[in-house]
């Protein structure tokens, strides 16, 4: 029986109590030291406890802590906006407290954009199966994370529609080229536009690299260019969700910069790594196309949050981005990612029950499979992750499971990574683990992390 009065994610398990976090490690009350192999949920970007960020937050608290964005702006928000706009090629940005708020704002921004353009009939949004965009009702309705949506199905809008994901491991045909696969998916999106009526579609939403739902799934080359062409042809907006994969995580500031697009998306959503865990912050970036519609129309976005453009959150993010650039962490993230890819493949690709290893930068997943030849998945009734925990405990390790994390014992330390339990492949079946450490992680720590994961897999599956 838990002694906590916090309504935790699980009421049958009391989360481990962290007492300190520094560098790439989290320290527990019982003295254990945990290598942060997932950055929480791909949040921690520059490591924990960086004194430069702490000093900047303290300085901000001594100048402007909070002012209401309906009346005031603040220097930190203005400077952070300038930073993001300068390197992205976008036009304006809205700062909110988290990814779900940002997605809600992007949905509303898209809708009002079309109203400003005198196209009120554009009410339909197209997203992808096996996607996740947030936990509020609007964001959850837009996405297709089966387990998280299930209790709330009666409340979702009929304006949300779905097409297939770009998920080559499971859905690209054996004899199909990348070009052929892209064409098939483009034809499907075009058909969805035609089914709904091209003039009724407001936007196409997609995660540039799919995060927790299917596990660090990048698109095949040419995919986003093809999706962009369809949106442009029909007057719909392209909205890219980089809450999990953005802000340097892939080895570029923006994940879409790998995709060969001739221009930025119409709207882009950032979060998690933007504040690096030092303060809750997310952002909605918009192009000149979107801003100009408002300037020519009402001149105001009918949206607002109490903590919008919060000075402390913006100051923390400004310092996080400054550190990324001064310390060369985005390029380091790219190089460490190449090293992580190499050792993951060396140590795990030949395993009979490792189906796919995929990702980019420091954003990687290992997908487990029951039958490698047929890609048969473990059934949803087989509690694969629970089995890892059970086996580790029975064989003398000290492994613990909270609702969203696995802790693997290795020598005198443990490693935390982010599990995707059930639903990786089709929303119901499939398992993966997600590796997304801070950009400051060393090569030795990456070897330690992968060896820890390998040992745990062998205990359970062999």
């Amino acid at each position: 029986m838990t002694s906590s009065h916090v309504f935790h994610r699980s009421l049958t398990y009391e989360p481990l109590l962290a007492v300190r976090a520094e560098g790439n490690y989290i320290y527990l009350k019982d003295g254990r030291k945990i290598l942060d192999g997932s950055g929480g949920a791909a949040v921690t970007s520059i490591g924990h406890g960086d004194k430069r960020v702490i000093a900047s937050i303290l300085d901000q608290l001594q100048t402007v802590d909070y002012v209401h964005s309906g009346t005031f702006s603040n220097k930190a928000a203005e400077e952070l906006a300038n930073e993001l706009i300068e390197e992205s090629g976008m036009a304006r940005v809205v700062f909110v407290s988290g990814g779900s708020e940002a997605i809600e704002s992007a949905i509303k921004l898209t809708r009002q954009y079309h109203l400003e353009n005198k196209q009120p009939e554009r009410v339909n949004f197209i997203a992808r199966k096996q996607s996740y965009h947030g936990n509020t009702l609007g964001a959850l309705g837009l996405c297709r994370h089966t387990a998280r949506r299930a209790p709330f199905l009666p409340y979702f809008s009929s304006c949300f529609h779905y097409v297939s994901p770009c998920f080559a491991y499971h859905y690209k045909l054996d004899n199909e080229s990348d070009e052929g696969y892209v064409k098939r998916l483009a034809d499907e999106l075009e058909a969805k536009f035609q089914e709904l009526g091209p003039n009724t579609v407001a936007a196409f939403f997609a995660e540039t690299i799919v995060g927790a739902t299917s596990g660090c799934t990048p698109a095949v080359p040419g995919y986003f260019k093809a999706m962009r062409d369809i949106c442009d042809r029909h007057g719909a907006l392209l909205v890219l969700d980089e809450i999990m994969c953005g802000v340097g995580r892939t080895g570029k500031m923006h994940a879409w910069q790998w995709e060969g697009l001739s221009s930025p998306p119409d709207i882009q959503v950032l979060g998690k790594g933007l504040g690096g865990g030092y303060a809750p912050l997310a952002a909605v970036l918009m192009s000149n196309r979107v801003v100009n519609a408002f300037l020519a129309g009402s001149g105001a976005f009918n949206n607002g949050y109490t903590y919008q453009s919060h000075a402390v959150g913006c100051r923390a993010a400004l310092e996080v981005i400054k550190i990324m650039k001064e310390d060369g962490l985005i390029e380091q993230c790219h190089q460490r990612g190449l090293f992580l890819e190499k050792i993951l493949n060396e140590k795990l690709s030949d395993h009979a029950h490792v189906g796919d290893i995929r990702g980019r930068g420091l954003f990687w997943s290992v997908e487990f499979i029951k039958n490698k030849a047929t890609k048969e998945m473990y059934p949803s009734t087989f509690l694969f992750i629970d089995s890892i925990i059970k086996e580790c405990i029975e064989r003398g390790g000290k492994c613990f499971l909270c609702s969203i994390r696995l802790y693997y014992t290795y020598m005198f330390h443990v490693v935390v990574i982010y599990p995707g339990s059930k639903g990786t492949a089709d929303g119901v079946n499939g398992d993966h683990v997600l590796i997304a450490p801070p950009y400051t992680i060393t090569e030795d720590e990456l070897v330690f992390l992968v060896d820890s994961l390998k040992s745990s897999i062998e205990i359970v599956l062999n």
Side-chain angles (χ1 to χ4, degrees), residues 15 93 107 118 123 151 171 186 190 208 233 238 254 314 329 368 453:
V93 57
I107 293 170
K118 306 297 190 292
V123 298
Y171 298 114
E190 176 66 32
T208 316
R233 184 163 65 249
L238 173 66
H254 305 291
C314 290
L329 292 181
F368 304 107
L453 175 58

Side-chain angles (χ1 to χ4, degrees), residues 111-129:
R111 171 60 178 163
Q112 192 174 339
Y113 163 80
H114 291 297
L115 292 177
E116 301 288 346
N117 281 333
K118 306 297 190 292
Q119 293 183 306
E121 69 277 8
R122 290 191 179 270
V123 298
N124 290 312
F125 291 81
I126 302 174
R128 303 187 297 181
K129 299 170 185 175

Side-chain angles (χ1 to χ4, degrees), residues 128 130 132 166 206-219 224 240-246 249-251 254-256 258-259 358-361 363-365 434:
R128 303 187 297 181
Q130 288 303 93
Y132 181 66
C166 187
E207 295 165 272
T208 316
I209 297 181
V210 180
T213 307
S214 62
C216 303
T217 310
F224 278 107
L240 294 184
D241 177 350
E242 297 199 357
I243 293 169
M244 203 172 211
C245 66
R249 170 92 23 214
T250 65
H254 305 291
W256 59 261
W258 293 101
E259 300 301 332
R358 53 181 175 265
R360 184 174 288 150
F363 196 53
W364 284 85
S365 278
L434 191 154

